[in-house]
Coordinates of all heavy atoms in Angstrom, one line a residue:
G73 N -14.4 -72.2 30.9 CA -14.1 -72.0 29.5 C -15.4 -71.9 28.7 O -16.5 -71.9 29.2
L74 N -15.2 -71.9 27.4 CA -16.4 -71.9 26.4 C -16.5 -73.3 25.9 O -15.6 -74.0 25.4 CB -16.0 -71.0 25.3 CG -17.0 -70.9 24.1 CD1 -18.4 -70.4 24.6 CD2 -16.5 -70.0 23.0
V75 N -17.8 -73.8 26.0 CA -18.0 -75.2 25.5 C -19.4 -75.2 24.8 O -20.3 -74.4 25.1 CB -18.0 -76.2 26.7 CG1 -19.1 -75.9 27.7 CG2 -18.1 -77.6 26.2
Q76 N -19.6 -76.1 23.8 CA -20.9 -76.2 23.2 C -21.8 -77.0 24.1 O -21.4 -77.8 24.9 CB -20.7 -77.0 21.9 CG -19.8 -76.3 20.8 CD -20.4 -75.1 20.3 OE1 -21.6 -75.1 20.0 NE2 -19.7 -74.0 20.3
A77 N -23.1 -76.8 23.9 CA -24.1 -77.5 24.6 C -24.0 -79.0 24.4 O -23.7 -79.4 23.3 CB -25.5 -77.0 24.1
G78 N -24.1 -79.7 25.5 CA -23.8 -81.1 25.5 C -22.4 -81.6 25.8 O -22.2 -82.7 26.1
G79 N -21.5 -80.6 25.9 CA -20.1 -80.8 26.3 C -19.9 -81.0 27.7 O -20.9 -80.9 28.6
S80 N -18.7 -81.1 28.1 CA -18.2 -81.3 29.5 C -17.1 -80.4 29.9 O -16.3 -80.0 29.0 CB -17.8 -82.8 29.7 OG -18.8 -83.7 29.5
L81 N -17.0 -80.0 31.2 CA -15.9 -79.3 31.8 C -15.7 -79.9 33.1 O -16.6 -80.4 33.7 CB -16.2 -77.8 31.8 CG -16.1 -77.0 30.5 CD1 -16.6 -75.6 30.9 CD2 -14.7 -77.0 30.0
R82 N -14.5 -79.8 33.6 CA -14.1 -80.1 35.0 C -13.5 -78.9 35.7 O -12.4 -78.5 35.3 CB -13.2 -81.4 35.2 CG -13.1 -81.8 36.6 CD -12.2 -83.0 36.8 NE -10.8 -82.7 36.7 CZ -9.9 -83.5 37.4 NH1 -10.3 -84.5 38.1 NH2 -8.6 -83.2 37.2
L83 N -14.2 -78.4 36.7 CA -13.6 -77.3 37.5 C -12.8 -77.7 38.6 O -13.1 -78.8 39.2 CB -14.8 -76.4 37.9 CG -15.8 -75.9 36.9 CD1 -16.8 -75.0 37.5 CD2 -15.1 -75.2 35.7
S84 N -11.8 -77.0 39.0 CA -11.0 -77.3 40.2 C -11.0 -76.1 41.1 O -11.1 -74.9 40.7 CB -9.6 -77.6 39.8 OG -9.5 -78.8 38.9
C85 N -11.0 -76.4 42.4 CA -10.9 -75.4 43.4 C -9.8 -75.8 44.4 O -9.8 -76.8 45.1 CB -12.2 -75.3 44.2 SG -12.1 -74.2 45.6
A86 N -8.7 -75.0 44.3 CA -7.5 -75.2 45.2 C -7.7 -74.3 46.4 O -7.7 -73.1 46.3 CB -6.2 -74.9 44.5
A87 N -7.7 -74.9 47.6 CA -8.0 -74.2 48.8 C -6.8 -74.4 49.8 O -6.4 -75.6 50.0 CB -9.2 -74.7 49.5
S88 N -6.2 -73.3 50.3 CA -5.1 -73.4 51.2 C -5.6 -73.6 52.6 O -6.6 -73.1 52.9 CB -4.2 -72.2 51.1 OG -3.7 -72.0 49.8
G89 N -4.8 -74.3 53.4 CA -5.2 -74.5 54.7 C -5.8 -75.9 55.0 O -6.7 -76.3 54.3
R90 N -5.3 -76.6 56.0 CA -5.8 -77.9 56.4 C -7.3 -77.9 56.8 O -8.0 -78.9 56.8 CB -4.9 -78.5 57.5 CG -5.4 -79.9 57.9 CD -5.5 -80.9 56.7 NE -4.3 -81.1 56.0 CZ -4.1 -81.9 55.0 NH1 -5.2 -82.4 54.4 NH2 -3.0 -82.0 54.4
T91 N -7.7 -76.7 57.2 CA -9.2 -76.5 57.6 C -10.1 -77.0 56.5 O -11.2 -77.5 56.8 CB -9.5 -75.1 58.1 OG1 -10.9 -75.1 58.4 CG2 -9.3 -74.2 56.9
F92 N -9.7 -76.8 55.3 CA -10.6 -77.3 54.2 C -10.7 -78.8 54.0 O -11.6 -79.3 53.4 CB -10.1 -76.6 52.9 CG -10.4 -75.1 52.8 CD1 -9.4 -74.2 53.1 CD2 -11.6 -74.6 52.4 CE1 -9.6 -72.9 53.1 CE2 -11.8 -73.3 52.4 CZ -10.8 -72.4 52.7
S93 N -9.8 -79.5 54.6 CA -9.9 -81.0 54.6 C -10.8 -81.4 55.7 O -11.2 -82.6 55.6 CB -8.5 -81.6 54.8 OG -7.6 -81.2 53.8
L94 N -11.2 -80.6 56.6 CA -12.1 -81.0 57.7 C -13.5 -80.4 57.6 O -14.3 -80.8 58.3 CB -11.5 -80.5 59.0 CG -10.0 -80.9 59.3 CD1 -9.5 -80.3 60.6 CD2 -9.9 -82.4 59.4
L95 N -13.7 -79.6 56.7 CA -15.0 -78.9 56.5 C -15.6 -79.4 55.2 O -15.0 -79.9 54.3 CB -14.9 -77.4 56.4 CG -14.3 -76.8 57.7 CD1 -14.1 -75.3 57.4 CD2 -15.4 -76.9 58.8
G96 N -17.0 -79.3 55.2 CA -17.7 -79.5 53.9 C -17.3 -78.4 52.9 O -16.9 -77.3 53.2
M97 N -17.3 -78.7 51.6 CA -17.0 -77.8 50.5 C -18.2 -77.7 49.5 O -18.9 -78.7 49.4 CB -15.7 -78.2 49.8 CG -14.5 -78.2 50.6 SD -13.9 -76.5 51.1 CE -13.5 -75.9 49.4
G98 N -18.3 -76.6 48.9 CA -19.5 -76.4 48.0 C -19.1 -75.7 46.8 O -18.1 -74.9 46.8
W99 N -19.9 -75.8 45.7 CA -19.8 -75.0 44.5 C -21.0 -74.2 44.4 O -22.1 -74.7 44.7 CB -19.6 -75.9 43.3 CG -18.2 -76.4 43.1 CD1 -17.7 -77.6 43.4 CD2 -17.1 -75.7 42.4 NE1 -16.4 -77.8 43.0 CE2 -16.1 -76.6 42.4 CE3 -17.0 -74.5 41.8 CZ2 -14.8 -76.3 41.9 CZ3 -15.8 -74.1 41.3 CH2 -14.7 -75.0 41.3
F100 N -20.9 -73.0 43.9 CA -22.0 -72.0 43.7 C -21.7 -71.4 42.4 O -20.7 -71.4 41.8 CB -22.0 -71.0 44.8 CG -21.9 -71.6 46.2 CD1 -20.8 -72.0 46.8 CD2 -23.1 -71.6 47.0 CE1 -20.8 -72.6 48.1 CE2 -23.2 -72.2 48.2 CZ -22.0 -72.7 48.8
R101 N -22.8 -70.7 41.9 CA -22.7 -70.1 40.6 C -23.6 -68.8 40.6 O -24.6 -68.7 41.3 CB -23.0 -71.0 39.4 CG -24.5 -71.4 39.3 CD -24.7 -72.4 38.3 NE -26.1 -72.8 38.1 CZ -26.5 -73.8 37.3 NH1 -25.6 -74.4 36.5 NH2 -27.8 -74.1 37.2
Q102 N -23.2 -67.9 39.7 CA -23.9 -66.6 39.6 C -24.0 -66.2 38.1 O -22.9 -66.0 37.5 CB -23.3 -65.5 40.4 CG -24.1 -64.2 40.4 CD -23.7 -63.3 41.5 OE1 -22.5 -63.2 41.9 NE2 -24.6 -62.4 41.9
A103 N -25.1 -66.2 37.5 CA -25.4 -65.7 36.2 C -25.6 -64.3 36.1 O -26.0 -63.7 37.1 CB -26.5 -66.5 35.6
P104 N -25.4 -63.6 35.0 CA -25.7 -62.2 34.9 C -27.1 -61.9 35.3 O -28.1 -62.5 34.8 CB -25.4 -61.9 33.4 CG -24.5 -62.9 33.0 CD -24.9 -64.2 33.7
G105 N -27.3 -60.8 36.1 CA -28.6 -60.4 36.6 C -29.2 -61.3 37.6 O -30.4 -61.0 37.9
K106 N -28.6 -62.3 38.0 CA -29.1 -63.2 39.0 C -28.3 -63.3 40.3 O -27.1 -63.0 40.2 CB -29.3 -64.6 38.4 CG -30.2 -64.7 37.2 CD -30.4 -66.1 36.7 CE -31.3 -66.1 35.5 NZ -32.7 -65.7 35.9
E107 N -28.9 -63.8 41.4 CA -28.1 -63.9 42.6 C -27.4 -65.2 42.6 O -27.6 -66.1 41.9 CB -29.0 -63.8 43.8 CG -30.1 -64.9 43.9 CD -31.0 -64.7 45.0 OE1 -30.7 -65.1 46.2 OE2 -32.1 -64.2 44.8
R108 N -26.3 -65.2 43.4 CA -25.5 -66.5 43.5 C -26.4 -67.6 44.1 O -27.2 -67.4 45.0 CB -24.3 -66.2 44.4 CG -23.4 -67.4 44.6 CD -22.2 -66.9 45.6 NE -21.3 -66.1 44.8 CZ -20.6 -65.0 45.3 NH1 -21.0 -64.6 46.5 NH2 -19.7 -64.4 44.6
E109 N -26.2 -68.8 43.5 CA -27.0 -69.9 43.9 C -26.2 -71.1 44.2 O -25.1 -71.3 43.7 CB -28.1 -70.3 42.9 CG -27.5 -70.8 41.6 CD -28.5 -71.2 40.5 OE1 -29.7 -71.2 40.9 OE2 -28.1 -71.5 39.4
F110 N -26.7 -72.0 45.0 CA -26.1 -73.2 45.4 C -26.1 -74.2 44.2 O -27.1 -74.3 43.5 CB -26.7 -73.9 46.6 CG -26.4 -75.3 46.8 CD1 -25.2 -75.7 47.4 CD2 -27.3 -76.3 46.4 CE1 -24.9 -77.0 47.6 CE2 -27.0 -77.6 46.6 CZ -25.9 -78.0 47.3
V111 N -24.9 -74.9 44.0 CA -24.9 -75.9 42.9 C -24.6 -77.4 43.5 O -25.4 -78.3 43.2 CB -23.7 -75.6 42.0 CG1 -23.6 -76.7 41.0 CG2 -24.0 -74.3 41.3
A112 N -23.7 -77.5 44.4 CA -23.3 -78.8 44.9 C -22.6 -78.7 46.2 O -21.9 -77.7 46.4 CB -22.6 -79.7 43.9
R113 N -22.5 -79.7 47.0 CA -21.7 -79.7 48.2 C -21.3 -81.1 48.6 O -22.0 -82.1 48.2 CB -22.5 -79.1 49.4 CG -23.5 -80.0 50.1 CD -24.2 -79.3 51.3 NE -24.8 -80.3 52.1 CZ -24.3 -80.9 53.2 NH1 -23.1 -80.7 53.5 NH2 -25.0 -81.8 53.9
V114 N -20.2 -81.2 49.3 CA -19.7 -82.5 49.8 C -19.1 -82.4 51.1 O -18.2 -81.6 51.3 CB -18.8 -83.2 48.8 CG1 -17.5 -82.3 48.6 CG2 -18.4 -84.6 49.2
P115 N -19.6 -83.1 52.1 CA -19.0 -83.1 53.5 C -17.6 -83.7 53.4 O -17.2 -84.3 52.4 CB -19.9 -83.9 54.3 CG -21.2 -84.0 53.6 CD -20.8 -84.0 52.1
W116 N -16.8 -83.5 54.5 CA -15.5 -84.0 54.5 C -15.4 -85.5 54.4 O -14.4 -86.1 53.8 CB -14.7 -83.6 55.8 CG -15.2 -84.3 57.0 CD1 -16.2 -84.0 57.8 CD2 -14.5 -85.4 57.6 NE1 -16.3 -84.9 58.9 CE2 -15.3 -85.8 58.8 CE3 -13.4 -86.2 57.3 CZ2 -14.9 -86.9 59.6 CZ3 -13.0 -87.2 58.1 CH2 -13.8 -87.5 59.2
N117 N -16.4 -86.2 54.9 CA -16.4 -87.7 54.8 C -17.8 -88.2 54.4 O -18.1 -89.4 54.7 CB -15.9 -88.3 56.1 CG -16.9 -88.0 57.3 OD1 -17.8 -87.1 57.2 ND2 -16.8 -88.8 58.3
G118 N -18.6 -87.4 53.8 CA -19.9 -87.8 53.5 C -20.3 -87.9 52.0 O -19.4 -87.8 51.1
V119 N -21.6 -87.9 51.7 CA -22.0 -88.1 50.3 C -22.5 -86.7 49.8 O -22.8 -85.8 50.6 CB -23.2 -89.0 50.2 CG1 -22.7 -90.4 50.6 CG2 -24.4 -88.7 51.0
A120 N -22.4 -86.5 48.5 CA -22.7 -85.2 47.9 C -24.2 -84.9 47.8 O -25.0 -85.8 47.8 CB -22.0 -85.2 46.5

């Protein structure tokens, strides 16, 4: 959504299939005119 600088948002990713419970998951982002970049990741049982 749209938020003012200094504000907060929580994104959700709903993934079908039990395989997603066994694999690491990640967030990525792409700004206009830029390539997609890594933001964050978390293993199935590890630290982010």
Side-chain angles (χ1 to χ4, degrees):
L74 175 63
V75 65
Q76 298 291 315
S80 299
L81 285 172
R82 189 177 77 153
L83 307 183
S84 298
C85 172
S88 298
R90 181 52 64 183
T91 182
F92 288 96
S93 297
L94 304 175
L95 297 172
M97 297 290 294
W99 283 96
F100 307 80
R101 67 187 182 186
Q102 186 168 25
K106 298 184 179 295
E107 63 184 278
R108 182 179 282 137
E109 66 177 353
F110 164 80
V111 174
R113 79 176 195 94
V114 60
W116 73 276
N117 65 345
V119 299

